[in-house]
């Protein structure tokens, strides 16, 4: 994993940049955005709903070097990598990119935590919203894009998958909400996946619906398997038979 | 031990290798692989490395004929192709460790090998900040750190300066005691210093396979002669020219192999280069 994380130099640099930008944009304009003065569950929801698509679309472009097929292929050929090694390295390669994204999400969460420090009982619900929301959603979107790009053979396919999914999420037109990157969009709130709309909830009342969580888990498992399947497909074509 | 028996390999309608019989790895030695551009050197190395498959004939490893699966061959050897693709962002050490990790091998020898190749100062430096020769040496560190019974190197010295080539020769002398190293090269002068055996590919087949001194012994009579352009043209018609130098205006010195030398030619001791050029010229003069 460390090898692949080293290769993600530029994407990693964007994490502190986002933190600074977030502080400037949101920290100094409190009350001036739709997040408002009362930065409760609704503030967290809007923060994630607005920022997650931006982060994903921005990140997928700079991840193309890390996730470049030719680099992986070259190392696998040089090492004569067998099947388990190819699958493991594929996960490490994907995981390095996802960890950079997770770094962004943690930055957003840290910012939210600063804004919430005066609110009682915020920590566990914030963690729940973050994990069920942008963390798992981003994983699903990125893994789907990673797998499609491997099959379609290009960074353009990866960018297209991410752009389509997060755009539909941003405009509240996703055909199936478990695919939502943030899970805090207006559509998600209307579908009451957090028990009620986060606008009307206190942190103590935040409880994601079982159906949504199960669907999310199924998608995470499916996305993980799809990465393994494309690794095996890629490996089959690595050495001529 | 790898044995190729009557192996043929084609790209489309072109037979790159045809009727190849080759045995490798019975003794720990250094084998130089020579041949003109496009003679099939890289193809033969990738076949031995398990990266490609023959169209006909058989490949055996330690007495077992291999089927479609070449994973045993890949584990048996370490292969460095000619066109290495190294990520410029990672450090030399991280790169070598990663490749060894993909093979499930420890990186115990890596530090010592970096020192041996004069790269002790560069282990933490990104590959992108290194020269072509330094990157080539990093790849050689990996090839020898993998400690496999067979090392297959495709033109490993092409980016190395004479000092680095000397260091490469030293390494081969030291490390080949424990394994077989086969390397493709166009530096014929280096072959005499580094290899104990030489394989020459020509016309899709093996034109020579044997000790280096035996290849030298195949050299025909070699002569040198000075003269003008007219004499040089005559020599080119009746002999295989193996060297030509311009001495001045319309004055040249030719080195050539022939059975019928001109009167003014002086006989000289043939070199390995002479023998190789005559062998792969396809001419009988």
């Amino acid at each position: 994993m460390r090898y692949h994380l080293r290769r993600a130099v530029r994407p990693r640099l964007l994490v502190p940049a986002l933190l600074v930008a977030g502080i400037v944009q949101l920290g100094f304009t409190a009350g001036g955005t739709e997040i408002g003065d009362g930065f409760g569950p609704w503030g967290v929801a809007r923060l994630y709903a607005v920022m997650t698509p931006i982060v994903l679309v921005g990140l997928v472009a700079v991840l193309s070097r890390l996730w470049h097929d030719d680099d992986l292929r070259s190392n696998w050929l040089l090492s004569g990598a067998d099947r388990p090694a190819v699958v493991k390295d594929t996960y490490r390669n994907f995981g390095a990119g996802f960890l950079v994204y997770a770094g962004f999400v943690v930055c957003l969460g840290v910012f939210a935590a600063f804004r919430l420090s005066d609110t009682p009982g915020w920590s566990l619900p914030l963690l729940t919203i973050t994990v069920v929301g942008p963390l798992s959603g981003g994983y699903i979107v990125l893994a789907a894009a990673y797998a499609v790009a491997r099959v379609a053979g290009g960074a353009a396919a990866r960018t297209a998958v991410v752009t389509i999914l997060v755009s539909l999420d941003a405009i509240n037109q996703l055909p199936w909400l478990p695919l939502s990157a943030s899970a805090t969009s207006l559509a998600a709130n209307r579908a009451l996946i957090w028990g009620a709309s986060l606008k009307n909830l206190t942190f103590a009342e935040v409880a994601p619906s079982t159906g949504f969580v199960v669907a999310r888990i199924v998608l995470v498992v499916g996305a993980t398997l799809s990465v393994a399947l494309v690794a095996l497909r890629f490996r089959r074509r690595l050495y001529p038979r | 031990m790898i044995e190729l028996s009557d192996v043929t390999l084609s790209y489309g309608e072109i037979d790159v290798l045809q009727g190849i019989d080759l045995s490798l790895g019975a003794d720990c030695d250094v084998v130089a692989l020579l041949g003109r551009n496009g003679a099939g050197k890289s193809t033969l190395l990738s076949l031995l490395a398990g990266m490609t498959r023959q169209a006909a004939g058989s490949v055996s490893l330690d007495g077992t004929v291999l089927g479609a699966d070449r994973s045993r061959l890949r584990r048996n050897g370490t292969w460095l192709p000619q066109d290495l693709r190294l990520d410029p962002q990672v450090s030399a050490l991280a790169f070598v460790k990663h490749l060894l990790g993909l093979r499930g091998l420890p990186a115990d020898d890596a530090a010592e090998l970096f020192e041996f190749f004069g790269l002790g100062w560069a282990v933490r430096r990104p590959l992108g900040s290194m020269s072509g020769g330094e990157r080539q040496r990093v790849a050689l560190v990996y090839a020898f750190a993998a400690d496999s019974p067979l090392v297959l190197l495709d033109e490993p010295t092409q980016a190395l300066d004479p000092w680095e080539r000397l260091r490469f020769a030293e390494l081969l002398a030291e490390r080949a005691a424990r394994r077989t190293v086969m390397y493709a090269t166009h530096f014929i002068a280096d072959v005499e210093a580094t290899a104990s055996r030489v394989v020459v590919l020509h016309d899709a087949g093996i034109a020579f396979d044997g000790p280096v001194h035996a290849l030298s012994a195949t050299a025909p009579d070699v002569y040198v002669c000075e003269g003008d352009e007219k004499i040089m043209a005559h020599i080119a018609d009746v002999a295989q020219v193996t060297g030509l130098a311009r001495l001045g205006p319309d004055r040249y010195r030719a080195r050539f192999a022939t059975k019928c030398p001109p009167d003014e030619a002086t006989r000289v001791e043939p070199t390995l280069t002479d023998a190789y050029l005559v062998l792969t010229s396809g001419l009988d003069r």
Side-chain angles (χ1 to χ4, degrees):
Chain A
M1 182 73 90
R2 275 195 297 173
Y3 172 80
H4 294 294
L5 273 174
R6 279 196 188 99
R7 295 178 61 225
V9 175
R10 275 179 238 169
R12 278 192 284 127
L13 287 175
L14 290 176
V15 177
L18 175 78
L19 188 62
V20 173
I23 290 166
V24 171
Q25 174 63 27
L26 296 170
F28 291 98
T29 57
T33 68
E34 62 178 309
I35 292 168
D37 284 321
F39 195 89
W42 183 241
V44 174
R46 297 316 297 149
L47 175 71
Y48 285 158
V50 171
M51 293 303 292
T52 305
I54 295 170
V55 166
L56 280 169
V57 170
L59 186 66
V60 77
V62 288
L63 282 177
S64 54
R65 187 179 193 114
L66 172 71
W67 285 351
H68 203 289
D69 280 355
D70 289 348
D71 288 333
L72 293 172
R73 180 189 169 85
S74 170
N75 286 348
W76 293 341
L77 282 173
L78 266 182
S79 61
D82 56 11
R83 200 171 288 121
V86 166
V87 172
K88 255 195 275 183
D89 198 49
T90 300
Y91 273 123
R92 286 174 182 151
N93 179 250
F94 167 71
F98 173 71
L99 273 185
V100 177
Y101 167 77
F104 280 88
V105 173
V106 168
C107 284
L108 292 173
V110 167
F111 171 73
F114 273 115
R115 292 288 303 267
L116 293 168
S117 51
D118 294 338
T119 312
W122 59 271
S123 56
L124 196 60
L126 175 63
L127 188 67
T128 305
I129 295 171
T130 306
V131 172
V132 177
L135 218 49
S136 59
Y139 182 90
I140 292 162
V141 170
L142 288 174
Y146 189 89
V148 168
R150 275 293 174 80
V151 176
R158 186 163 50 236
T159 307
V161 170
V162 171
T163 306
I164 290 168
L165 284 176
V166 301
S167 298
L168 289 174
D169 190 23
I171 61 172
N172 302 299
Q173 296 297 319
L174 263 180
W176 193 42
L177 277 174
L179 284 171
S180 168
S182 66
T184 58
S185 61
L186 292 177
N189 274 291
R190 276 199 295 268
L192 307 179
I193 63 169
W194 300 100
S197 169
L198 288 169
K199 200 169 192 173
N200 307 318
L201 291 177
T202 62
F203 277 117
E205 295 164 327
V206 170
S209 74
T210 310
F212 183 80
V213 171
V214 169
R216 212 57 161 175
I217 291 169
V218 168
L219 280 177
V220 166
V221 172
T224 306
L225 286 176
S226 71
V227 171
L229 287 175
V230 292
L232 290 173
R233 181 178 181 274
F234 198 87
R235 196 264 179 195
R236 268 200 300 276
R237 292 184 301 163
L238 193 61
Y239 309 112
R241 297 187 65 84
Chain B
M1 189 172 79
I2 301 175
E3 280 184 284
L4 307 186
S5 177
D6 200 18
V7 161
T8 295
L9 200 153
S10 311
Y11 291 136
E13 292 181 357
I14 301 167
D15 285 338
V16 183
L17 300 173
Q18 199 171 34
I20 299 285
D21 293 308
L22 181 73
S23 177
L24 207 61
D27 303 307
C28 296
D29 52 11
V30 178
V31 184
L33 180 61
L34 302 178
R36 300 172 75 153
N37 288 329
K41 301 187 295 296
S42 300
T43 305
L44 179 60
L45 290 176
S46 62
L47 180 73
L48 291 166
M51 299 296 163
T52 188
R53 273 186 59 205
Q54 77 280 11
S58 66
V59 178
S60 310
L61 178 62
D62 296 331
T64 308
V65 176
L66 299 176
D69 184 11
R70 296 296 156 92
S71 51
R72 276 187 64 207
L73 267 187
R74 289 192 288 273
R75 278 194 298 273
N76 180 68
T78 305
W79 169 68
L80 285 192
Q82 196 179 345
D83 49 343
L84 282 170
R85 186 186 172 104
L86 312 180
D87 193 305
Q89 295 185 101
V90 295
S91 73
L93 183 62
F95 174 71
V96 170
K97 275 187 170 176
H98 178 63
L99 292 184
L100 293 171
L102 283 171
R103 300 182 73 152
L105 297 171
D108 300 340
D109 279 355
E112 183 199 333
L113 282 163
F114 271 112
E115 289 294 337
F116 186 89
F117 273 103
L119 288 170
W121 56 276
V123 289
R124 308 272 172 209
R125 278 186 58 182
L127 291 164
S129 69
M130 294 182 172
S131 69
E134 287 165 347
R135 283 201 295 271
Q136 185 74 40
R137 281 188 277 159
V138 170
L140 287 170
V141 168
Y142 157 66
F144 286 98
D147 206 23
S148 55
L150 179 64
V151 177
L152 300 157
L153 310 171
D154 200 347
E155 300 195 28
T157 56
Q158 64 173 343
L160 304 185
D161 66 30
W163 286 105
E164 287 167 344
R165 298 217 313 265
L166 185 64
R167 211 193 295 262
F168 174 72
E170 283 174 27
L171 182 90
L172 284 190
E174 185 191 298
R175 296 274 158 168
R178 286 184 280 147
R179 62 179 61 77
T180 297
V181 179
M182 185 180 221
Y183 74 102
T185 184
H186 289 297
F187 291 104
I188 298 167
D190 289 357
V191 170
E192 283 177 305
T194 54
S196 51
R197 177 180 163 194
V198 62
V199 174
V200 181
L201 289 178
H202 185 61
D203 280 346
I206 293 180
F208 180 88
D209 181 3
V212 176
H213 61 81
L215 176 59
S216 301
T218 66
D221 294 339
V222 177
Y223 302 86
V224 292
C225 179
E226 291 182 12
D228 57 16
E229 203 168 312
K230 203 174 160 188
I231 293 174
M232 293 301 119
H234 171 68
I235 289 171
D237 281 342
V238 299
Q240 174 58 52
V241 176
T242 61
L244 183 67
R246 187 174 181 274
L247 303 174
D250 201 22
R251 190 82 190 148
Y252 302 89
R253 181 170 57 220
R255 181 183 179 93
F256 54 93
T258 184
K259 291 169 184 166
C260 318
D263 294 339
E264 58 271 37
T266 310
R267 192 172 171 188
V268 293
E269 198 63 31
T271 63
L272 191 64
T273 305
D274 295 321
Y276 166 74
L277 288 174
V278 171
L279 183 69
T280 55
S281 67
L283 297 175
D284 182 21
R285 286 168 169 164

